[in-house]
Amino acid sequence: MRKFLYILTFTFLFSLLFTGAALAQSNTPPTDDEVNVVAHKLYCPVCESTPLDVCPTDACRDWREQIRSMLAEGKSETEILTYFEEQYGARVLAEPPKHGFYWLIYLLPPAIILAGAIILFRSMKEWTTAKVQAPKSNEAPPAKDDYLARMEEEIKKQK
Amino acid sequence: MYSEFGYGILLLSFFVAIYSVVAAVYGATNKSLALIESARRSMLLMFPLISLSAATLIYLLVNDHYEVSFVYEVTSRSMPTYLKVTAWWGGQAGSLVFWSWLLAAFASAVTIRKWDRDIEFLPWVVVVCSVTLAFFIGLVVFYENPFTRFWSVGGAVEPHMFAPANATLFTAQDGRGLNPLLRHPGMVIHPPMLYLGFVSFVIPYAFAMAALITGRTDDRWIRLTRRWSLWAWLFLSMGLVLGGRWAYDVLGWGGYWGWDPVEIASFMPWLTGTAFLHSVMIQEKRGLLKHWNMILVILTYDLVIFGTFLTRSGVLSSVHAFANSPIGPLFMVFVTTSLVVSIGLVIWRWPQLHSETEMKSMLSREALFLLNNLLFMSILVVCFWGVIFPLVSELFTGQKVTVGPPFYERATAPLFSALLFLMAVAPLSAWGHSTFETLGRAMWKSAAAASVVTAALFFTYTKSIGALIGFFLIALILFVTFQEFWRGARARQKAQDENFFTALFRLMGRNRRRYGGYIIHISMALMAIGILGIEIFQSETQGLLKQGESLNISGYDVKYRELASWDSKGEGVNYTRATLDIYQNGIYIGELNPRIDYYFDSQQNMTIPGNRSTLRDDLYVLLVDWQPVSSDGATFKIFVNPLVNWLWIGSLLFLVGVIFAAWPDKDPVEERTRASRQVSQPSSAD
């Protein structure tokens, strides 16, 4: 599933690069959709939690126009994202860049989840094996036939 | 005059809360019934007191008392009366009063119940509720006072509660008005629902603490609060769903959930609350996991407070904003203290919370429930870390970062899928013991049916592997759950000689919790269809259209007919509304009217989509921009959101399921189950 997503992302990015290059050659202005694909991955520092592609403020409109002209110049998506990150800091990216300190966001949750899973499975193993080693004498002997079992059920129900 | 009255009453209720804490603690430790009763009564007094103060605030809001700073900030003359009332929770100070008012209502409801056998819990429940209340009212009284007024002092206008020397009262002509985003009907109900959910989780926590303090650590506290927890969960869930619906209708970005920190803040207690609802069943049926349930209810309570803190302290915009407002540090201290004290109590009572039986099999129902808990906690870890990481980053590197949807979607998608899988398997596993063989035998028919559905979807609808896995899991849940209904009803039909529907009806009536739970599972599967649809199949396009031109997307043609713009003086709004003709595969199917509303008082825009909603997909059109002079060109953004309606249908069914499970009645089957386990006494309350 994840692998598939990676492949999908790569194909997507690759096709973007390709369209970027094609645009540069053909000189047609980038469409709104092409701008929005890039803008969707950016957040302006003022409008928190609103991705740039849908943000209605004037400032964000200007940013989108900037992306449009950069696309028209033949810049790739990665180049544009890097440009915005360098200009305004890492916070304009939809998620922290994968370098240095920021790795913590990606590594800590899986580590904690893994630790949790190991602890859980170990304790479950302990609980279940403890039961196997325990003497079986206190468990009810298996019912001899169906009738007995049904009787017991009935008695239980009437309690 | 009104301001002083409202404030005075609030101040009084603060002292009553403090008194109630002291009296309850002293009464409990010295076994003074009179003092405990006095504490209980003062607890009961809180509700009318806060109501009176809230009524005063509403009076000021409705009657345009713009000398009061809160009224000035959240209302304006052009707002209709009902919005002036709901503006009560539209601002910081008011919403804290609202929180306190709801908590007082719940605390009163719980204190007037019959206590008979549980009288030893009473003082400590009162203590927990009153401490929480005192904290919130304290915040209002000392830091976020909604009754503060404007005073003109030597030419400058300053907000003060009481008149400074040589000051005259300053009354603004009109208020700034409520944020237009909050004027939507969804926003009128969404916060109360969310707050109800938040507040009602205080009650199970209060009982848990009472159980720890008194040492009565059997599952009595769980039985007493089971329905409270369910209602709390219902409110919280509906709050989340309504928030999503509101976002879909007014935020204008084509989605319902943006993994915004504020959303996550209310989602986190939902996660622990849902884990709690599942794991208490293990304690009730098998006497296991007593420590864990305590920890879950403590986490839920603290996440509720933490969530309120996140949204109310300004910490999200910057660590430094947090330090500037006194509310932030106070919340922090409160959350930490309550966490330390509660966990301390659990450690103190650790030996008494031992398990009554053992876990027998890794595939038993209880083991699968534990896995479910692990998954919920994992999602919590992702959410928690995602929300606080920008703050951590700012603290350590000085750089703020955004943790947006891509992070959460990638991290939680496998966890949610695993939850769906468990939802399909767990109902088939038995308490105590299950093997792969028994599970396989119970499941193969549903799995085969789900495979057929998936294959059919592969050939007719989608080739996306992620989507197909999702659809398979959803189909599996639906088949397994329907099979459970079928099996139960058939068994009863044979045993009681009833017709099928009577049998089904009675079976469900006798096992409300179980079948309510199944209804909830079905609703979750339906909601998952909607989520899958929008997450995987959403398509969008944007373009500038001249009149008569059209945009094409997913078989729809959206043709721009005209644009109109007008002022509505009475409402203080300028409307700009486009009319679009919609064709599907060349056939005219109707018109849509996306618009932008401009609110003069708050100088804010609101983007209202034009939405055509069917079970198959939503055509969701936004007016992005238009040329002001000629009005013959306008930019539209169009989303096609497949299957999203199932999310809302699922939510309605969810409501039915929870109400079905939580509806108060006597449950003979459950009584028997209780009697067969060694509980100290059978219960009739709750």
Side-chain angles (χ1 to χ4, degrees):
Chain A
M1 162 91 188
R2 181 167 286 185
K3 199 174 165 192
F4 174 76
L5 278 177
Y6 278 128
I7 295 172
L8 203 72
T9 325
F10 276 118
T11 350
F12 183 59
L13 285 178
F14 185 74
S15 60
L16 270 176
L17 278 171
F18 190 74
T19 46
L23 280 169
Q25 284 161 4
S26 65
N27 273 342
T28 44
T31 64
D32 285 355
D33 287 343
E34 283 156 356
V35 173
N36 280 341
V37 167
V38 183
H40 189 67
K41 292 177 182 142
L42 288 170
Y43 285 72
C44 90
V46 186
C47 325
E48 275 168 20
S49 337
T50 315
L52 189 61
D53 61 329
V54 286
C55 191
T57 62
D58 287 339
C60 288
R61 198 168 300 162
D62 292 346
W63 274 36
R64 284 197 293 268
E65 284 317 309
Q66 201 176 343
I67 294 174
R68 192 189 302 275
S69 52
M70 288 175 89
L71 279 174
E73 287 163 21
K75 293 233 166 60
S76 73
E77 177 181 301
T78 328
E79 283 171 333
I80 299 174
L81 294 182
T82 318
Y83 166 81
F84 276 99
E85 187 195 339
E86 277 165 7
Q87 288 290 308
Y88 304 96
R91 64 184 301 180
V92 299
L93 300 177
E95 54 180 346
K98 292 182 180 71
H99 57 71
F101 179 81
Y102 302 133
W103 271 115
L104 266 183
I105 183 143
Y106 301 102
L107 298 181
L108 203 67
I112 294 176
I113 293 170
L114 201 67
I118 291 172
I119 292 170
L120 179 69
F121 281 111
R122 283 217 165 157
S123 11
M124 282 203 334
K125 261 244 154 79
E126 232 164 72
W127 293 332
T128 44
T129 46
K131 171 244 155 192
V132 174
Q133 283 159 4
K136 287 193 170 178
S137 59
N138 53 359
E139 278 187 21
K144 285 207 179 67
D145 60 23
D146 255 352
Y147 178 67
L148 202 62
R150 262 184 288 146
M151 278 292 282
E152 277 178 356
E153 265 312 290
E154 278 309 307
I155 292 164
K156 258 189 215 164
K157 273 186 198 162
Q158 278 161 14
K159 261 184 199 170
Chain B
M1 167 62 196
Y2 289 109
S3 288
E4 282 101 341
F5 177 74
Y7 182 73
I9 297 287
L10 266 188
L11 198 61
L12 180 62
S13 63
F14 175 73
F15 289 116
V16 172
I18 300 281
Y19 167 76
S20 146
V21 175
V22 175
V25 173
Y26 195 78
T29 45
N30 291 287
K31 304 223 160 22
S32 157
L33 279 177
L35 262 180
I36 295 176
E37 183 56 17
S38 162
R40 187 177 82 98
R41 292 197 177 170
S42 22
M43 168 99 255
L44 281 173
L45 185 62
M46 304 287 294
F47 181 62
L49 280 180
I50 302 177
S51 301
L52 204 57
S53 181
T56 315
L57 184 60
I58 293 173
Y59 176 84
L60 293 170
L61 285 166
V62 170
N63 291 292
D64 305 313
H65 279 265
Y66 297 118
E67 76 277 12
V68 178
S69 63
F70 182 73
V71 177
Y72 167 77
E73 275 155 28
V74 296
T75 61
S76 64
R77 289 187 194 278
S78 60
M79 276 165 61
T81 308
Y82 83 96
L83 278 180
K84 286 180 182 169
V85 174
T86 62
W88 176 16
W89 52 80
Q92 171 95 304
S95 69
L96 287 172
V97 175
F98 187 59
W99 217 104
S100 317
W101 181 70
L102 287 177
L103 180 55
F106 273 84
S108 299
V110 84
T111 36
I112 54 176
R113 71 182 287 281
K114 274 194 196 154
W115 283 85
D116 306 338
R117 292 191 309 272
D118 310 305
I119 193 76
E120 67 219 80
F121 285 159
L122 173 66
W124 302 108
V125 170
V126 169
V127 168
V128 173
C129 293
S130 295
V131 165
T132 316
L133 261 174
F135 172 69
F136 276 91
I137 301 175
L139 286 182
V140 178
V141 168
F142 300 111
Y143 301 100
E144 287 288 342
N145 181 1
F147 295 105
T148 305
R149 283 163 299 176
F150 290 122
W151 299 92
S152 198
V153 196
V157 176
E158 295 168 7
H160 293 285
M161 180 61 226
F162 297 105
N166 304 323
T168 50
L169 199 60
F170 173 83
T171 308
Q173 271 306 303
D174 198 353
R176 281 208 302 219
L178 193 62
N179 181 339
L181 292 174
L182 305 184
R183 300 186 192 187
H184 181 270
M187 209 50 190
V188 171
I189 345 171
H190 156 72
M193 279 289 169
L194 213 52
Y195 281 15
L196 272 175
F198 275 6
V199 164
S200 37
F201 267 121
V202 173
I203 307 297
Y205 168 77
F207 274 89
M209 290 304 102
L212 285 176
I213 296 169
T214 56
R216 201 173 151 190
T217 48
D218 60 20
D219 40 14
R220 181 69 184 150
W221 73 273
I222 283 184
R223 295 189 188 287
L224 286 172
T225 57
R226 192 170 65 207
R227 290 211 154 83
W228 284 98
S229 316
L230 262 179
W231 285 111
W233 191 62
L234 172 69
F235 290 132
L236 195 53
S237 312
M238 290 327 283
L240 286 167
V241 168
L242 283 168
R245 182 73 220 196
W246 166 76
Y248 194 69
D249 286 347
V250 307
L251 289 189
W253 40 263
Y256 53 89
W257 182 261
W259 292 104
D260 176 271
V262 176
E263 292 168 341
I264 298 172
S266 42
F267 186 50
M268 289 194 290
W270 186 88
L271 288 170
T272 48
T274 314
F276 176 70
L277 281 179
H278 285 95
S279 89
V280 289
M281 281 189 255
I282 315 181
Q283 180 166 347
E284 284 177 45
K285 301 271 187 195
R286 309 268 301 132
L288 295 162
L289 297 185
K290 294 182 181 175
H291 302 109
W292 181 235
N293 286 329
M294 284 288 175
I295 292 173
L296 275 181
V297 82
I298 292 167
L299 273 181
T300 309
Y301 173 82
D302 276 304
L303 284 171
V304 159
I305 310 283
F306 183 70
T308 319
F309 155 72
L310 276 184
T311 48
R312 289 285 155 219
S313 66
V315 70
L316 288 171
S317 48
S318 160
V319 186
H320 310 297
F322 155 77
N324 290 338
S325 123
I327 280 205
L330 281 172
F331 261 111
M332 216 51 207
V333 169
F334 187 75
V335 171
T336 321
T337 315
S338 65
L339 196 62
V340 168
V341 170
S342 324
I343 298 290
L345 283 173
V346 174
I347 295 172
W348 177 46
R349 292 292 184 191
W350 197 266
Q352 273 127 298
L353 291 164
H354 62 86
S355 295
E356 289 163 31
T357 49
E358 285 158 342
M359 183 83 59
K360 284 187 182 156
S361 132
M362 300 281 267
L363 291 172
S364 60
R365 177 84 64 97
E366 54 268 35
L368 296 182
F369 271 26
L370 265 180
L371 266 183
N372 137 314
N373 271 232
L374 175 71
L375 290 170
F376 276 114
M377 297 316 282
S378 303
I379 300 174
L380 175 71
V381 167
V382 171
C383 289
F384 186 80
W385 188 229
V387 164
I388 64 162
F389 188 76
L391 312 175
V392 174
S393 163
E394 196 183 354
L395 269 181
F396 286 95
T397 67
Q399 275 262 25
K400 262 204 82 163
V401 287
T402 304
V403 181
F407 168 77
Y408 294 104
E409 282 162 8
R410 198 169 342 106
T412 57
L415 298 170
F416 280 118
S417 312
L419 269 181
L420 287 180
F421 181 65
L422 272 187
M423 216 188 281
V425 180
L428 297 175
S429 75
W431 291 106
H433 192 71
S434 273
T435 61
F436 279 111
E437 203 192 325
T438 57
L439 271 181
R441 217 180 306 140
M443 221 170 127
W444 75 268
K445 280 184 201 157
S446 304
S451 309
V452 170
V453 171
T454 313
L457 286 171
F458 176 78
F459 289 114
T460 57
Y461 193 74
T462 175
K463 301 275 187 285
S464 148
I465 299 194
L468 287 170
I469 294 174
F471 282 129
F472 173 77
L473 292 172
I474 291 166
L476 192 62
I477 297 171
L478 292 175
F479 283 122
V480 164
T481 317
F482 284 129
Q483 196 191 344
E484 280 291 282
F485 276 99
W486 168 261
R487 232 172 32 176
R490 286 289 289 181
R492 194 187 156 91
Q493 185 185 7
K494 277 187 195 146
Q496 309 281 339
D497 205 17
E498 293 163 339
N499 86 36
F500 180 78
F501 290 101
T502 321
L504 180 66
F505 188 73
R506 293 208 175 131
L507 175 82
M508 289 173 66
R510 295 276 167 93
N511 301 278
R512 277 173 183 279
R513 198 167 168 213
R514 182 189 184 110
Y515 288 96
Y518 285 161
I519 297 175
I520 295 169
H521 281 184
I522 295 175
S523 75
M524 288 289 167
L526 296 184
M527 289 165 90
I529 296 178
I531 294 170
L532 207 61
I534 201 168
E535 291 295 334
I536 298 188
F537 302 115
Q538 184 180 52
S539 52
E540 61 173 271
T541 187
Q542 179 178 317
L544 172 71
L545 296 182
K546 291 222 162 69
Q547 279 183 334
E549 284 181 341
S550 57
L551 272 171
N552 180 290
I553 180 173
S554 306
Y556 288 106
D557 273 314
V558 178
K559 193 171 174 188
Y560 175 35
R561 194 202 304 167
E562 61 185 359
L563 187 89
S565 188
W566 71 94
D567 287 351
S568 169
K569 284 278 184 285
E571 296 169 284
V573 185
N574 170 275
Y575 294 101
T576 305
R577 199 179 87 139
T579 306
L580 300 155
D581 293 316
I582 312 297
Y583 299 84
Q584 189 172 23
N585 302 321
I587 301 159
Y588 179 77
I589 50 170
E591 62 170 51
L592 281 180
N593 299 103
R595 50 172 226 268
I596 289 181
D597 303 350
Y598 178 78
Y599 287 78
F600 296 114
D601 50 12
S602 58
Q603 302 178 350
Q604 275 175 297
N605 270 333
M606 212 159 120
T607 313
I608 307 290
N611 189 17
R612 181 182 182 274
S613 194
T614 63
L615 290 182
R616 188 168 154 262
D617 57 21
D618 274 23
L619 180 68
Y620 183 102
V621 185
L622 295 165
L623 173 59
V624 177
D625 202 359
W626 67 94
Q627 257 122 39
V629 190
S630 62
S631 88
D632 61 354
T635 305
F636 296 95
K637 190 174 177 85
I638 307 173
F639 291 94
V640 174
N641 297 328
L643 303 172
V644 70
N645 238 330
W646 292 96
L647 177 62
W648 316 121
I649 295 171
S651 322
L652 288 178
L653 187 67
F654 174 87
L655 189 70
V656 173
V658 183
I659 292 177
F660 186 82
W663 198 256
D665 72 341
K666 279 198 175 176
D667 205 329
V669 176
E670 295 244 325
E671 291 292 336
R672 270 190 227 133
T673 330
R674 287 174 194 180
S676 65
R677 271 206 47 233
Q678 292 143 359
V679 183
S680 51
Q681 279 166 319
S683 101
S684 58
D686 74 329

